[in-house]
Amino acid sequence: MEPFIRSDQYHYIKQQVRHIVQTSALINDQEMVQTIQDLGKDKMMEVFHELTDLERRILEGITKLEDRTDAEMYEARILPLVHPFEMPAEEEVRELFPYLTKVKPPLLGANVDERDLTYLSWFDAGLDRKFIVTYRNGELVGMEGSFTYSGQKNLCSICREHEHVGLFVTDVTEYKRRGNYVCKDSVTCNRNITDQRHLYKFMDNMKR
């Protein structure tokens, strides 16, 4: 079966799964548990616009979760149906940043699953720049800027979670700069993303 779930959708599903299992564990009323499961299913379905009958049946398995073991089995069952992030070629990345020399995407570590990624980010110490690259409407887009670690937790503008962040600053024009806080660890950030629109909004705001 072909993948049909985006990374951010998968993380949103996992969020609903955790809520269902954790809440159900505190309730003895089976009718209330079923209501919680149905609400979780409805919220999950809202992030999908078109599904085949088979895809819908697979996702609706969320209404049969009773404990953590069920949750882990459900997540493992849908993981193969998640689109992996398509790693861009070095030439594609250079085309995004033609004014910078020797820029190239990083090699992913063994602990990084491409299905967890909504975007690719890395810090190039030689250039002293942080890069953010993603796909939007099928097109590779990116931005770069300086990054200064804050040394503390704050709200990340991309994943909208409280994590260790730093100030990411871009040059909008020769005389205008714009900055915002983003996660220091982009892998953690990616795993927190439950709505890719937050990433797109962040990138749009940084270029205005």
Side-chain angles (χ1 to χ4, degrees):
M1 186 173 181
E2 292 296 319
F4 66 94
I5 304 171
R6 295 195 314 263
S7 175
D8 62 312
Q9 292 172 329
Y10 177 64
H11 296 141
Y12 184 75
I13 292 171
K14 290 178 67 175
Q15 185 182 81
Q16 295 306 313
V17 167
R18 286 195 300 271
H19 175 71
I20 289 172
V21 172
Q22 291 171 0
T23 306
S24 298
L26 303 174
I27 300 173
N28 293 322
D29 187 333
Q30 186 56 42
E31 186 174 334
M32 182 63 71
V33 169
Q34 187 62 56
T35 298
I36 293 170
Q37 292 172 339
D38 289 339
L39 286 173
K41 181 199 72 174
D42 292 342
K43 288 183 177 180
M44 176 184 66
M45 290 302 182
E46 288 176 358
V47 304
F48 292 93
H49 301 297
E50 294 182 4
L51 291 171
T52 66
D53 290 341
L54 177 57
E55 291 168 349
R56 184 176 295 276
R57 286 199 300 272
I58 290 173
L59 293 178
E60 286 178 345
I62 198 172
T63 61
K64 297 178 174 61
L65 306 181
E66 295 183 358
D67 53 33
R68 191 175 300 277
T69 299
D70 288 343
E72 291 175 353
M73 292 177 62
Y74 176 77
E75 291 174 4
R77 189 159 59 248
I78 66 174
L79 180 58
L81 303 176
V82 179
H83 288 286
F85 184 85
E86 183 180 345
M87 291 294 293
E90 187 173 325
E91 294 76 15
E92 293 178 294
V93 173
R94 286 181 175 174
E95 288 178 3
L96 291 178
F97 312 103
Y99 49 90
L100 294 174
T101 59
K102 299 181 180 179
V103 59
K104 60 181 180 180
L107 296 175
L108 295 181
N111 64 328
V112 180
D113 189 332
E114 293 175 2
R115 292 170 295 191
D116 269 332
L117 304 181
T118 296
Y119 71 96
L120 181 67
S121 182
W122 69 98
F123 182 79
D124 189 314
L127 297 172
D128 194 28
R129 310 297 283 177
K130 181 179 178 68
F131 295 86
I132 296 176
V133 173
T134 189
Y135 292 92
R136 192 167 186 176
N137 299 322
E139 180 182 353
L140 188 67
V141 295
M143 63 192 313
E144 53 82 18
S146 63
F147 181 79
T148 305
Y149 178 45
S150 68
Q152 59 187 7
K153 285 190 172 184
N154 208 327
L155 185 67
C156 171
S157 300
I158 296 177
C159 70
R160 303 298 178 90
E161 295 289 340
H162 278 82
E163 296 287 353
H164 289 282
V165 299
L167 185 62
F168 179 71
V169 178
T170 60
D171 296 318
V172 180
T173 67
E174 184 178 356
Y175 305 104
K176 182 179 180 181
R177 308 182 78 198
R178 190 172 295 279
N180 221 324
Y181 287 104
V182 299
C183 284
K184 177 185 179 185
D185 185 344
S186 63
V187 175
T188 297
C189 186
N190 269 283
R191 290 171 179 163
N192 285 338
I193 294 177
T194 57
D195 189 338
Q196 64 180 6
R197 291 175 297 182
H198 295 323
L199 170 63
Y200 298 153
K201 183 177 180 180
F202 162 77
M203 297 181 76
D204 289 341
N205 289 340
M206 292 294 288
K207 294 178 179 179
R208 291 175 181 170

